[in-house]
Amino acid sequence: MKILVFLVLLGLHSAAAGIHSLKNILTMSSQVPNSPEFVIVGMVDDVQIYHYDSNTRRLEPKQDWANRVTEDDPQFWERKTARCLDTQHLFKGYIKTLKHRFNQTGGVHIFQWMVGCEWDDETGEVNGFRQVGYDGEDFLSWDVKTNTWIAPKQQAVIIKNNWNNDKALMAYYKNDITQEFPDRLKKFVNYGRSSLMRTELPSVSLLQKTPSSPVSCFATGFYPDRAEIFWRKDGEELHENVELGEILPNHDGSFQMNVDLNLSPVTPEDWRRYECVFHLSAVKDDIITKLDKTAIQTNWGKTGFPLGAVIGVVVVLLLLVVGITGFFLWKKRNAKQPPGLGSPAPSGRWTEDGTRTRG
């Protein structure tokens, strides 16, 4: 089984300026060492705002401004914590049933549920979604237009039919997506507007470890993480002899990224034809850095390699992995769908044939 772990700060991106998203990812795991059995991560516009896991058994805010929700709803965190506990028990039954359906007796298994909505604050349009995955593959998807489940896997057909025939359950799902999630999203966007809407430009440096190493164009300190960095020659973006790194979080909440250029096929007289371009979403002007030997910082010359810019990243990543596990591998066609909070279904038990009992 192939599992890909996503970090919250590298999450899915809002579609465009003016479009906001509330994303919840709920994960139940089986036999994953050193990890909470059940985790819920909630994000607004790609920023983690709350977290729940089966070790702490508490839903807690992760941004100071997120706690403002108690101004209008003093019992918000207590009420949602109780709902998370119910969902935890429900998901335990889900993964047990799926292991039975797939004839699995042991090993690591992951059941995941993505739910949430997008809201265009200019047009007022709201789009909701729900996706269910098992062991890194699509298991069930929800059609918002027809308010019905679709089963891409044969093992999911019975479950799909039982859920679709439960009218109370489907009415619950529809209300969740059309009312509760959009209302909560609008509140959180209002509370965190100054933080969510901010933009910070990076410092950009050219780095090289040895004279024969690729030249790395390194940008750090930018926000948000909707950014691009690339090399171009004579104004045309390069796709050969370049290697793009991941966007990584800094300790202060900003981000860093790099793109390397292999100089072995480049003659010294052609250096002036190359430049590094950094583009930040919602910012009009790009940051352009010419390939200039005198501007390159190295650890073999007098300048010294600027490791200070990246110190702390490994620690941050380890903390994130410990606190936020179980993000799962969606197929590429689903990667742009943003995930929101709530029990995936009303209270009850899920039986071996996929039906739900009340109580």
Side-chain angles (χ1 to χ4, degrees), residues 87-136:
T87 305
Q88 177 180 329
H89 295 309
L90 196 64
F91 272 40
K92 198 174 186 70
Y94 285 4
I95 201 168
K96 179 180 178 181
T97 298
L98 290 177
K99 287 170 67 176
H100 173 76
R101 289 198 175 279
F102 283 92
N103 296 316
Q104 298 164 335
T105 56
V108 173
H109 299 286
I110 306 290
F111 174 78
Q112 293 150 315
W113 189 293
M114 301 198 319
V115 57
C117 69
E118 283 189 338
W119 165 57
D120 189 326
D121 66 3
E122 296 177 355
T123 67
E125 181 181 4
V126 174
N127 291 308
F129 64 89
R130 235 180 218 99
Q131 289 287 128
V132 179
Y134 184 62
D135 285 352

Side-chain angles (χ1 to χ4, degrees), residues 214-235:
V215 171
S216 180
C217 183
F218 177 69
T220 184
F222 61 88
Y223 188 92
D225 65 342
R226 295 186 289 278
E228 297 177 276
I229 191 169
F230 56 90
W231 283 99
R232 67 186 181 192
K233 177 185 178 183
D234 297 333

Side-chain angles (χ1 to χ4, degrees), residues 27 247 341:
T27 302
I247 297 179
L341 170 75

Side-chain angles (χ1 to χ4, degrees), residues 229-244 259-263 266 273-277 291:
I229 191 169
F230 56 90
W231 283 99
R232 67 186 181 192
K233 177 185 178 183
D234 297 333
E236 296 291 330
E237 183 176 351
L238 292 173
H239 299 286
E240 295 183 358
N241 298 315
V242 296
E243 183 176 351
L244 180 64
V259 60
D260 294 348
L261 173 65
N262 182 3
L263 289 176
V266 181
R273 302 168 62 186
Y274 291 81
E275 59 190 12
C276 173
V277 180
L291 180 58

Side-chain angles (χ1 to χ4, degrees), residues 203-207 216-220 229 256-259 306 309-310:
S203 61
V204 180
S205 306
L206 298 180
L207 313 177
S216 180
C217 183
F218 177 69
T220 184
I229 191 169
Q256 62 169 274
M257 66 189 307
N258 71 282
V259 60
V310 296

